[in-house]
Amino acid sequence: MEKFPLKGTTNLSIASAAGNHPLSADHTTSYQSVASKTSRNSPSADRTVNNSSGGGSGGGGSSSTTTTTSLTHPEPPVGTSVVPVYEADEDGMIDITPSNGGVSNPNYPYATSAYPGGANGGGSAQGSRQDGVGGAASGSGPGGSVGAGGGVGGAGSNHEGGMSSPTHTRFGRDFHHSDHEDTFTVSFSGKQEGISFAGMTDTSDDIPGIGQYDDFHTIDWQRDIARDRMRHRYIVKKRQDSLWDLVKGAHDAWSGWVCVLLVGLFTGCVAGVIDIGASWMTDLKFGICPQAFWLNREQCCWSSNETSFDSGNCSQWYAWSEIFTSSREGFGAYVISYFFYIMWAMLFALLAASLVRMFAPYACGSGIPEIKTILSGFIIRSYLGKWTLIIKSVGIMLSVSAGLSLGKEGPMVHIASCIGNILSYLFPKYGRNEAKKREILSAAAAAGVSVAFGAPIGGVLFSLEEVSYYFPLKTLWRSFFCALIAAFILRSINPFGNEHSVLFYVEYNKPWIFFELVPFIGLGIIGGIIATVFIKANLWWCRFRKYSKLGQYPVTEVLIVTFITAVIAYPNPYTRMNTSELIYLLFSQCGISNQDPLCDYNRNFTDVNSAIEIAAAGPGVYKAVWLLILALAMKLIMTIFTFGMKVPCGLFIPSLALGAITGRVVGIAMEQLAYNYPKIWIFSGECSTGDDCITPGLYAMVGAAAVLGGVTRMTVSLVVIMFELTGGVRYIVPLMAAAMASKWVGDALGRQGIYDAHIALNGYPFLDSKDEFQHTTLAADVMQPKRNETLAVITQDSMTVDDIETLLKETEHNGYPVVVSKENQYLVGFVLRRDVNLALANARRMIDGITGQSLVIFTSAQPVQNLGPSPLKLKKILDMAPITVTDQTPMETVVDMFRKLGLRQTLVTHNGRLLGVITKKDVLRAQ
């Protein structure tokens, strides 16, 4: 189908169009106008096409005709073909189809037949086009009226002389003429007439469910984006009609901002509740505040007048041993505290696992692998539903409080995405369009990281770098706004009870020595190795869980892992405490107020105004280092078994803890090296004055970034999250060096990060834009079916309802190519399985006379009248412009099309003849 631009042209004869076309000179091909359906009563409604080799009918030469937009004409002279001409649409495109001078076009077969002419007995030589697309030149009927055959985009009115312009782009619009008899006006096909895209009409009013997707199916990005463009153009055009339409247009324009505003508000509130609830339940394992049981340990001590607290406890707060034995010290008190610690942990874990199993199976795990897959265009129903939101929010508080080696920060992304999904249904622009909905989900994911770490900018970059598949500039602004609102709401709630909205605020500001880049990069390498060991071991365990009987007992597994974790964790003070508290302790600088063994240096704090000098480590430091190394091994092993269990569990905090422990140990070693050998050239400048020139807390921060970067393979967003998380802006270069070293080592030892590995483990159809296609294959090598196998197709006008229902039962494909006939498998379009099912069910229910023997027709042409049951026309659900490639297209190109256009399938042709289909799963299999 050639496209012939007619900018600013209103009247044009076919002869002149063919003559002016660059391909017309000295060619036998004449270009025929694509006209549309006529009245059913008109004799020229037979599908006919000009069969003469020249421009005119009956003669060999070209005949020039004068045409006008009026639809009534005097009777033309004998041998003259009157061609109705219409105004070009706004893009000035008119379809012209070669008729090859009477020879059948191999791609669009024509059958020729004589048309018994007009009143004078001299008719035009005409031919019928079998596929019904763009058929029939006009012929002069007996009454002198102009008739036209079926055209592209069809759907013209059925009154005499009716015609409609063709679609002019892949996602063209159907324009319908008005009901006036003499004047031809173009009206936009809006709510009443349906919106056309890709040769399809939005039939949501006619057949409920058309255009939606089934569970575990991939969305068609191009189709959904086109639907939204059509809807937007309609609203813009209607704005001038009335004040109400103007208000509706304004609402449509700012509905996206309102939606992300609401997502930010709700995400901030939910995060505040989760933070407060998790803090209270975590402290409940150690004791209770009798005066107000709903207060955690820190809040309980706020009301105390004491100036100093013994190991974080005040007289207002009662440990469980104190309630039962009136003592905090001694063997009996230790045993009771140990018992209550294990009992509460088991209770919280049992509740979390039971709630997930009974009410929301999708609420388990981190959720980020599934969010990445959903944002790439996959449908997982209920994964972002209200029950998942409620159970995940409650479950993550219980899981964290149970003392398991997991964090609540990763699941916050899932929780925020649930909020985004639920709120998007308040705005039909997003709720009814899966591609548009993903813009809201991208913004929600940014808000999730923003409230998890108090890092709004890092949240936007995390959504861009790690989660989102389609991230236009408009989504970037909205994500930024959404993350800002969420962080502001969380700061207003102030769940941490301090003046900082970040989790691990650091107050040291000493400059780092240039030589320290060497240990920082070394930490990056160590972080990459730890991350690779964790990913490989966790994948092995998850695979074992999936394919063994262990997977049938999820609650039992959770209870066993919780019991082992609690028993091992309690004796070690660094594993007993909340993981977030541990990270804060490792990041912090030793000062006068810090009583932890980590700060047991031989220092004299008599002069408050003097700088903290570098000093020898005391016995408490060495003991703390050994306990930290034990904590590192225990946390690494327990996180391997914990991540992937059937409770909500995140990976950010455990990864940060592993890295912070490693970094703090390295930092203490560097500090003692500088103390004992201050004259070495690497320390001679900065450390010779006696001031504390090495900051172990900085090494903990860099190590935390290294392990988290190795586990998730984040780079830019990780560095931004880390300096937002700690407030340590001046340490960006050490963080960048460690993050890059960690990523390089991780990529060298194993290609995938933890989220991509779990996507592959679960078999989700995710095409990673970072992967490279390794093989030099062609589309023909990857397509289904293979050569010499039969392809399941639907013919455009020769299959009955029973035939199609049999095809649907015998095959499980998500869609079917529509071809001209079984013998001539030239492509007409593509139709979705779901749409065919809905259309057939709707027709049997709503239309009289539809039986199993009714022909199903996907063309605009009128079927030959016979004595059988009335035919069923399904052209509305046909995508007449599916994405196609030839069989010789390299697979690198095909993979790029799938990634960048978000395709769900592409059809493979050879010289216009259909050969097969390539789906997203075929591409993944080929990779």
Side-chain angles (χ1 to χ4, degrees):
M1 177 85 61
E2 295 287 331
K3 296 288 186 186
F4 191 60
L6 296 173
K7 281 288 181 191
T9 307
T10 53
N11 293 325
L12 189 79
S13 66
I14 291 305
S16 62
N20 292 331
H21 196 276
L23 297 178
S24 64
D26 300 335
H27 281 67
T28 57
T29 302
S30 66
Y31 283 82
Q32 174 104 0
S33 168
V34 177
S36 72
K37 288 194 297 187
T38 62
S39 165
R40 290 175 182 171
N41 302 323
S42 171
S44 62
D46 295 330
R47 291 170 290 169
T48 54
V49 74
N50 191 341
N51 197 27
S52 64
S53 145
S57 52
S62 66
S63 64
S64 175
T65 56
T66 303
T67 56
T68 173
T69 53
S70 170
L71 296 181
T72 53
H73 301 271
E75 189 172 343
V78 176
T80 303
S81 172
V82 179
V83 181
V85 174
Y86 39 84
E87 293 187 12
D89 60 24
E90 64 182 19
D91 289 338
M93 300 297 289
I94 290 181
D95 291 337
I96 46 182
T97 306
S99 62
N100 287 350
V103 181
S104 292
N105 184 339
N107 293 332
Y108 294 95
Y110 294 83
T112 55
S113 62
Y115 174 70
N120 294 338
S124 306
Q126 303 281 347
S128 166
R129 177 171 163 173
Q130 289 180 2
D131 65 352
V133 178
S138 53
S140 54
S145 64
V146 178
V152 176
S157 301
N158 289 327
H159 63 276
E160 185 157 281
M163 52 178 287
S164 72
S165 68
T167 52
H168 58 278
T169 63
R170 177 179 191 273
F171 300 109
R173 300 181 299 204
D174 281 346
F175 288 91
H176 302 272
H177 64 277
S178 70
D179 293 333
H180 297 84
E181 292 183 1
D182 297 327
T183 57
F184 176 75
T185 60
V186 176
S187 68
F188 187 78
S189 57
K191 193 71 175 175
Q192 290 77 24
E193 297 163 325
I195 297 172
S196 172
F197 54 93
M200 294 173 60
T201 305
D202 184 4
T203 55
S204 54
D205 292 343
D206 304 333
I207 307 172
I210 292 286
Q212 298 301 310
Y213 301 96
D214 284 330
D215 201 7
F216 294 104
H217 283 63
T218 307
I219 71 169
D220 190 330
W221 285 88
Q222 298 300 306
R223 178 170 172 270
D224 279 6
I225 291 169
R227 279 176 65 197
D228 186 67
R229 285 191 192 128
M230 297 301 109
R231 183 199 56 76
H232 180 68
R233 285 177 190 165
Y234 173 65
I235 289 173
V236 169
K237 186 173 180 67
K238 292 284 285 179
R239 273 197 309 209
Q240 303 164 1
D241 294 355
S242 68
L243 181 62
W244 176 242
D245 286 319
L246 184 66
V247 171
K248 285 201 291 188
H251 173 266
D252 183 74
W254 48 253
S255 60
W257 291 101
V258 175
C259 191
V260 294
L261 170 69
L262 293 175
V263 172
L265 288 171
F266 278 91
T267 303
C269 293
V270 171
V273 171
I274 290 173
D275 284 337
I276 293 168
S279 172
W280 175 72
M281 284 194 280
T282 301
D283 286 343
L284 198 60
K285 291 188 300 184
F286 300 100
I288 196 167
C289 190
Q291 295 178 342
F293 70 90
W294 57 88
L295 296 179
N296 63 22
R297 178 162 51 187
E298 187 179 4
Q299 293 164 338
C300 186
C301 291
W302 284 348
S303 59
S304 174
N305 294 323
E306 298 166 54
T307 55
S308 66
F309 306 135
D310 176 29
S311 69
N313 293 324
C314 58
S315 58
Q316 309 275 16
W317 176 264
Y318 284 80
W320 292 113
S321 59
E322 204 172 356
I323 293 173
F324 288 94
T325 66
S326 302
S327 172
R328 292 191 183 185
E329 305 297 332
F331 179 75
Y334 185 84
V335 170
I336 288 175
S337 298
Y338 204 161
F339 171 76
F340 271 93
Y341 182 90
I342 295 172
M343 186 198 73
W344 281 112
M346 296 287 285
L347 177 63
F348 291 150
L350 176 64
L351 273 172
S354 301
L355 286 172
V356 167
R357 185 172 187 184
M358 287 190 289
F359 296 105
Y362 284 148
C364 65
S366 163
I368 291 179
E370 287 78 11
I371 298 296
K372 283 185 73 167
T373 311
I374 288 170
L375 285 174
S376 77
F378 196 55
I379 302 284
I380 309 179
R381 297 267 177 243
S382 303
Y383 198 84
L384 301 176
K386 59 181 182 300
W387 276 110
T388 306
L389 169 64
I390 295 167
I391 300 303
K392 188 113 185 181
S393 302
V394 175
I396 194 61
M397 290 189 276
L398 293 164
S399 300
V400 170
S401 308
L404 288 164
S405 185
L406 48 82
K408 61 180 183 295
E409 281 63 30
M412 283 305 305
V413 176
H414 186 187
I415 289 167
S417 298
C418 289
I419 293 170
N421 177 62
I422 292 166
L423 291 177
S424 70
Y425 286 102
L426 298 177
F427 305 89
K429 173 182 178 179
Y430 296 100
R432 293 182 187 171
N433 191 310
E434 293 290 345
K436 293 292 288 179
K437 186 190 291 180
R438 272 138 186 82
E439 295 179 17
I440 301 297
L441 296 181
S442 292
V449 175
S450 172
V451 294
F453 295 114
I457 301 172
V460 175
L461 290 174
F462 175 80
S463 181
L464 169 63
E465 180 185 2
E466 189 63 26
V467 191
S468 295
Y469 195 82
Y470 172 70
F471 204 83
L473 195 60
K474 182 170 59 177
T475 306
L476 179 73
W477 300 333
R478 287 181 180 159
S479 300
F480 183 80
F481 178 65
C482 190
L484 168 73
I485 295 296
F488 173 75
I489 295 297
L490 187 67
R491 180 70 188 87
S492 305
I493 295 171
N494 194 14
F496 306 119
N498 55 34
E499 72 274 16
H500 305 298
S501 59
V502 296
L503 221 53
F504 316 116
Y505 186 75
V506 296
E507 294 175 344
Y508 42 83
N509 53 10
K510 286 193 181 304
W512 50 278
I513 307 170
F514 182 75
F515 174 78
E516 286 184 289
L517 274 179
V518 175
F520 291 151
I521 292 172
L523 277 173
I525 294 170
I526 295 170
I529 294 170
I530 290 174
T532 305
V533 169
F534 168 75
I535 291 171
K536 290 185 180 297
N538 179 252
L539 276 183
W540 173 83
W541 179 250
C542 287
R543 208 172 281 115
F544 173 77
R545 177 193 290 131
K546 190 172 184 179
Y547 298 112
S548 69
K549 285 191 174 181
L550 181 66
Q552 300 171 17
Y553 306 100
V555 178
T556 307
E557 182 196 4
V558 170
L559 291 176
I560 292 170
V561 171
T562 306
F563 180 77
I564 295 171
T565 304
V567 169
I568 298 174
Y570 191 82
N572 187 337
Y574 295 116
T575 51
R576 183 194 313 167
M577 67 172 65
N578 186 6
T579 313
S580 298
E581 290 178 25
L582 172 64
I583 296 170
Y584 181 72
L585 174 67
L586 295 169
F587 281 6
S588 61
Q589 188 177 17
C590 287
I592 299 171
S593 61
N594 202 323
Q595 303 296 320
D596 194 85
L598 266 178
C599 295
D600 181 21
Y601 290 90
N602 299 323
R603 288 190 179 121
N604 183 10
F605 286 119
T606 52
D607 186 3
V608 178
N609 296 320
S610 66
I612 298 174
E613 78 276 7
I614 193 165
V621 174
Y622 292 109
K623 180 185 176 185
V625 166
W626 284 111
L627 288 173
L628 283 174
I629 291 171
L630 286 173
L632 175 69
M634 177 259 176
K635 281 195 171 292
L636 177 61
I637 293 168
M638 295 317 300
T639 309
I640 287 169
F641 292 103
T642 303
F643 189 71
M645 287 196 313
K646 298 302 180 187
V647 291
C649 52
L651 204 54
F652 282 123
I653 290 295
S655 303
L656 289 174
L658 293 172
I661 292 171
T662 308
R664 186 76 185 207
V665 171
V666 172
I668 291 171
M670 285 293 295
E671 185 186 42
Q672 292 307 299
L673 187 67
Y675 173 73
N676 291 313
Y677 304 100
K679 302 300 182 186
I680 302 180
W681 63 271
I682 57 176
F683 298 126
S684 57
E686 287 80 0
C687 296
S688 57
T689 58
D691 285 352
D692 192 1
C693 59
I694 303 289
T695 309
L698 172 59
Y699 284 78
M701 199 193 333
V702 171
V707 174
L708 182 57
V711 169
T712 61
R713 300 291 197 274
M714 293 190 298
T715 50
V716 181
S717 55
L718 172 69
V719 172
V720 175
I721 286 172
M722 285 306 297
F723 80 70
E724 279 192 282
L725 189 64
T726 58
V729 184
R730 68 187 306 163
Y731 305 117
I732 290 178
V733 173
L735 290 170
M736 289 174 70
M740 281 312 305
S742 172
K743 178 173 170 54
W744 284 334
V745 170
D747 285 344
L749 297 177
R751 290 293 301 165
Q752 293 178 313
I754 189 70
Y755 300 134
D756 294 327
H758 274 265
I759 286 172
L761 179 68
N762 292 325
Y764 297 135
F766 180 75
L767 270 177
D768 195 345
S769 57
K770 298 186 282 289
D771 285 349
E772 295 179 6
F773 193 79
Q774 306 292 333
H775 315 293
T776 54
T777 50
L778 299 176
D781 303 322
V782 176
M783 71 178 189
Q784 299 292 337
K786 299 300 181 189
R787 297 180 190 277
N788 304 322
E789 296 178 17
T790 55
L791 174 65
V793 294
I794 294 176
T795 58
Q796 65 174 358
D797 56 6
S798 59
M799 289 179 73
T800 63
V801 171
D802 283 347
D803 293 339
I804 289 183
E805 287 183 339
T806 302
L807 179 69
L808 292 172
K809 285 176 186 172
E810 291 176 351
T811 58
E812 295 179 348
H813 308 310
N814 292 331
Y816 300 90
V818 178
V819 296
V820 174
S821 66
K822 291 284 187 185
E823 298 75 30
N824 295 327
Q825 294 208 354
Y826 292 103
L827 186 64
V828 176
F830 190 82
V831 68
L832 295 177
R833 178 192 191 91
R834 174 188 168 88
D835 290 356
V836 173
N837 271 322
L838 287 168
L840 291 180
N842 187 69
R844 285 188 181 276
R845 191 174 69 252
M846 306 293 290
I847 304 175
D848 294 334
I850 297 295
T851 68
Q853 298 308 309
S854 298
L855 278 179
V856 180
I857 295 174
F858 289 93
T859 70
S860 302
Q862 293 293 332
V864 179
Q865 293 298 322
N866 55 20
L867 301 178
S870 57
L872 172 60
K873 295 182 180 179
L874 294 185
K875 184 170 183 288
K876 279 183 176 181
I877 65 171
L878 180 66
D879 179 358
M880 290 171 57
I883 301 287
T884 59
V885 295
T886 67
D887 55 339
Q888 297 302 305
T889 307
M891 273 308 293
E892 290 95 330
T893 306
V894 176
V895 172
D896 269 348
M897 289 172 67
F898 271 88
R899 284 177 184 154
K900 292 170 182 173
L901 294 177
L903 304 183
R904 61 187 298 181
Q905 76 274 317
T906 182
L907 305 178
V908 184
T909 60
H910 178 73
N911 292 343
R913 187 185 293 275
L914 180 69
L915 290 184
V917 182
I918 298 177
T919 64
K920 194 183 247 190
K921 289 187 178 177
D922 294 329
V923 174
L924 288 165
R925 211 175 290 121
Q927 283 188 312

